[in-house]
Amino acid sequence: MKTNYELRSSSHPADAKNYDTTRLRKEHLIENLFVKNEVNMVYTMYDRLVIGGAMPVGEKLSPEAIDPLKAPHFLHRREIGIYNVGKGTGKVVIGGQTFELNYKEALYLGAGDREVVFESVDANHPAKFYFCSAVAHKTFPDRKVTKADAVKIESGALETANHRIINKMLTREVIETCQLQMGMTELKPGSVWNTMPAHVHSRRMEAYFYFEVPEEQAVCHFMGEPGETRHIWMKDEQAVISPEWSIHSAAATSSYTFIWGMAGENLDYGDQDFFKITDLK
């Protein structure tokens, strides 16, 4: 097993205005989450969220207590949300309990000194575990959450190319968490825009993970202040860090699915400051 991690600092919006394409991608884009028998993580100073991926193929993998955590276990002072985004069934073993995750199923694990183990049921069809982890001050119960458990919101319309289903899964309407919230938005065929009209929420940062992006297609993620937007072109199974001062929206060359993960001051999903589409620059 191999663990790789990066430590990324936060940036001031006035500084981010001067980033060129290379710098913008270096600071915010996470490209290689899934590598055979590796755990790859980014520890961002935006609310100290850890964003990562693990792809076990004939081996068992664990998110290690990387040096920046200064802790005996990864979950010593953290909670974690996990999605299986691989077509193969996966297992998450923790504290003697095994949770089986099929495609697009999620798992919440509360804080505590326990080892987390990822494994695939079939090495020929491996699971891919995408996860977000936030600092936690209290331990809440572990729980598996499926789309059937989700609070669903149908939003947008085909006429505006943003007809989508928002699956609120690891949110306070479904489970108890300290500050972590995660969900999955699925765009309907013919729709390409997500999270439009755009908004910011200065009480929370966010990470987007894009998948089900067809080969030869791409996603254009928009970020930045409403009057100073920037864009990052992204491929399938890549993630992007969205600061609390930034909008977060995207359009792609096909329909796709994305997982959103948030950490910050509150658990109010509706705490958003919207901007008119015509006011974006």
Side-chain angles (χ1 to χ4, degrees):
M1 183 184 82
K2 182 179 181 181
T3 298
N4 305 301
Y5 76 89
E6 294 180 56
L7 185 64
R8 299 195 190 181
S9 298
S10 55
S11 58
H12 193 283
D15 296 328
K17 291 178 182 180
N18 299 311
Y19 289 175
D20 62 10
T21 298
T22 300
R23 178 71 186 278
L24 193 69
R25 292 173 69 87
K26 180 180 178 181
E27 298 293 339
H28 298 281
L29 179 63
I30 305 173
E31 297 186 81
N32 299 309
L33 284 165
F34 301 111
V35 179
K36 178 181 176 180
N37 294 326
E38 291 186 6
V39 179
N40 292 288
M41 295 184 275
V42 169
Y43 182 119
T44 173
M45 287 302 176
Y46 292 111
D47 285 293
R48 298 187 181 274
L49 190 75
V50 175
I51 304 149
M55 183 179 172
V57 183
E59 293 186 17
K60 297 179 180 180
L61 305 178
S62 296
E64 297 180 13
I66 57 178
D67 185 66
L69 300 182
K70 305 297 182 187
H73 292 85
F74 185 83
L75 294 183
H76 181 64
R77 293 183 296 267
R78 288 186 161 271
E79 58 188 348
I80 190 172
I82 304 162
Y83 275 80
N84 180 9
V85 296
K87 295 302 176 65
T89 300
K91 291 182 179 180
V92 180
V93 182
I94 183 164
Q97 189 172 9
T98 299
F99 295 92
E100 191 169 281
L101 296 183
N102 292 312
Y103 188 53
K104 293 185 175 180
E105 291 184 337
L107 176 65
Y108 171 82
L109 300 176
D113 284 338
R114 307 171 293 164
E115 184 182 18
V116 181
V117 178
F118 299 131
E119 57 183 290
S120 297
V121 172
D122 182 356
N124 293 318
H125 301 89
K128 294 179 180 179
F129 298 98
Y130 171 74
F131 60 87
C132 289
S133 173
V135 175
H137 62 277
K138 183 178 180 180
T139 299
F140 288 107
D142 304 334
R143 183 179 166 187
K144 174 181 173 179
V145 178
T146 70
K147 285 172 62 178
D149 303 315
V151 174
K152 297 181 185 294
I153 301 173
E154 186 170 1
S155 185
L158 184 59
E159 289 78 7
T160 48
N162 64 357
H163 188 199
R164 60 198 188 273
I165 303 297
I166 302 168
N167 298 280
K168 300 167 71 174
M169 297 172 73
L170 306 186
T171 65
R172 69 175 182 178
E173 295 95 333
V174 181
I175 63 170
E176 288 187 295
T177 70
C178 284
Q179 62 166 316
L180 182 67
Q181 298 182 80
M182 295 182 74
M184 180 172 61
T185 300
E186 300 169 300
L187 275 75
K188 295 290 188 177
S191 288
V192 296
W193 277 102
N194 72 60
T195 322
M196 187 59 71
H199 64 266
V200 299
H201 31 67
S202 59
R203 279 69 58 190
R204 298 190 304 273
M205 63 78 63
E206 193 159 3
Y208 274 21
F209 169 76
Y210 293 99
F211 67 115
E212 293 190 322
V213 180
E215 191 176 359
E216 306 297 330
Q217 305 300 320
V219 176
C220 188
H221 180 86
F222 293 89
M223 61 172 296
E225 295 177 287
E228 281 280 352
T229 60
R230 300 289 186 270
H231 68 270
I232 299 175
W233 280 99
M234 300 175 60
K235 299 177 183 178
D236 188 37
E237 297 184 346
Q238 294 183 343
V240 64
I241 301 167
S242 179
E244 76 287 343
W245 46 263
S246 175
I247 65 164
H248 31 282
S249 184
T253 53
S254 73
S255 57
Y256 55 94
T257 300
F258 71 99
I259 294 171
W260 40 270
M262 295 185 284
E265 186 174 340
N266 64 36
L267 295 172
D268 183 3
Y269 178 86
D271 180 10
Q272 302 167 354
D273 300 320
F274 286 93
F275 297 92
K276 294 180 179 179
I277 295 174
T278 52
D279 288 340
L280 296 176
K281 297 179 180 178

